[in-house]
């Protein structure tokens, strides 16, 4: 597979673009993380979402520790070609390292953020090995 | 309303965080754009989504020219507190400046990006005034 399609993406100066992972079926937005060229290429090649970890400065296969892999169903690009939308199947039903379904579990209620979604599995269990 | 809730957000060094606008009901991801403190504050105060335009370097009320305003229904924050998820009602059913429902109209098909969604209204009509 030729890589010309990777050139269509407007990579920022740091080589990254944000990627939104949306769950197929439920439509829930699960995570927003970052892709570089290699991460997007690996995502397409393997069918499993790879991100670029800005904090660890390395490629990161989502779920590599937890088993909570994101299987990619479709990949979309926005009009400015600088954001990617990934339609994914979330293995284990848990995307967040806190053990919740989605990373977006804090909801603004008046002037306070409240935890709106339950912890489905204790992170100590998820990352116990 | 006190602004302490704004301090919970991990604004990046440039003062921005990405914001995903998701349509209530359909669950479609419509746009991803950027918020600064003032944009998020105005979004909450007015009930209409305001972004920070990085290219124009100014606050921007979504739909101010097109009329395609985004009315905010709920606001969520992710686990790292550096991405916002906006649940919105998309006035006019068109979020994209190309006249499409969503900005994510380009879909990867093999090694090519294909336009997967129709233009609902000619941009020349949308921005004619």
């Amino acid at each position: 597979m030729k890589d010309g399609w990777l050139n269509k993406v407007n990579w920022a100066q740091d080589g990254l673009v944000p990627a939104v992972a949306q769950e197929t079926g439920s439509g829930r937005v699960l995570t927003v993380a970052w892709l570089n060229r290699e991460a997007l290429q690996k995502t397409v090649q393997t069918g499993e979402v790879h991100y670029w970890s800005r904090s660890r400065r390395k490629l990161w296969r989502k779920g590599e520790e937890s088993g909570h892999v994101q299987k990619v169903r479709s990949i979309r690009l926005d009009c400015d070609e600088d954001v990617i939308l990934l339609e994914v199947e979330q293995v284990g039903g848990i995307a967040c390292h806190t053990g919740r379904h989605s990373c977006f579990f804090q909801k603004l209620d008046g002037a306070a953020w409240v935890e709106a979604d339950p912890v489905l599995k204790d992170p100590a269990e998820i990352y116990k090995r």
Side-chain angles (χ1 to χ4, degrees), chain A residues 55-73:
Chain A
S55 54
R56 291 178 287 156
R57 302 197 60 75
K58 54 172 259 196
L59 204 70
W60 152 52
R61 184 171 64 90
K62 170 75 182 159
E64 62 190 9
E65 284 187 54
S66 63
H68 296 152
V69 170
Q70 294 181 334
K71 296 192 177 176
V72 69
R73 293 285 194 91

Side-chain angles (χ1 to χ4, degrees), chain A residues 20-100:
Chain A
V20 180
Q22 182 176 31
E23 190 174 46
T24 190
S26 76
R28 281 290 298 273
V29 174
L30 299 176
T31 52
V32 172
W34 298 84
L35 297 174
N36 64 5
R37 235 183 124 86
E38 190 188 357
L40 182 54
Q41 199 168 28
K42 282 226 166 185
T43 296
V44 169
Q45 281 169 354
T46 65
E48 294 185 345
V49 179
H50 290 64
Y51 296 110
W52 173 258
S53 169
R54 294 185 303 172
S55 54
R56 291 178 287 156
R57 302 197 60 75
K58 54 172 259 196
L59 204 70
W60 152 52
R61 184 171 64 90
K62 170 75 182 159
E64 62 190 9
E65 284 187 54
S66 63
H68 296 152
V69 170
Q70 294 181 334
K71 296 192 177 176
V72 69
R73 293 285 194 91
S74 73
I75 299 179
R76 284 174 176 254
L77 183 62
D78 76 339
C79 52
D80 294 333
E81 287 144 12
D82 59 4
V83 184
I84 299 274
L85 176 61
L86 302 165
E87 179 192 357
V88 304
E89 180 191 334
Q90 179 59 61
V91 173
I94 293 176
C96 187
H97 74 287
T98 65
R100 293 180 175 86

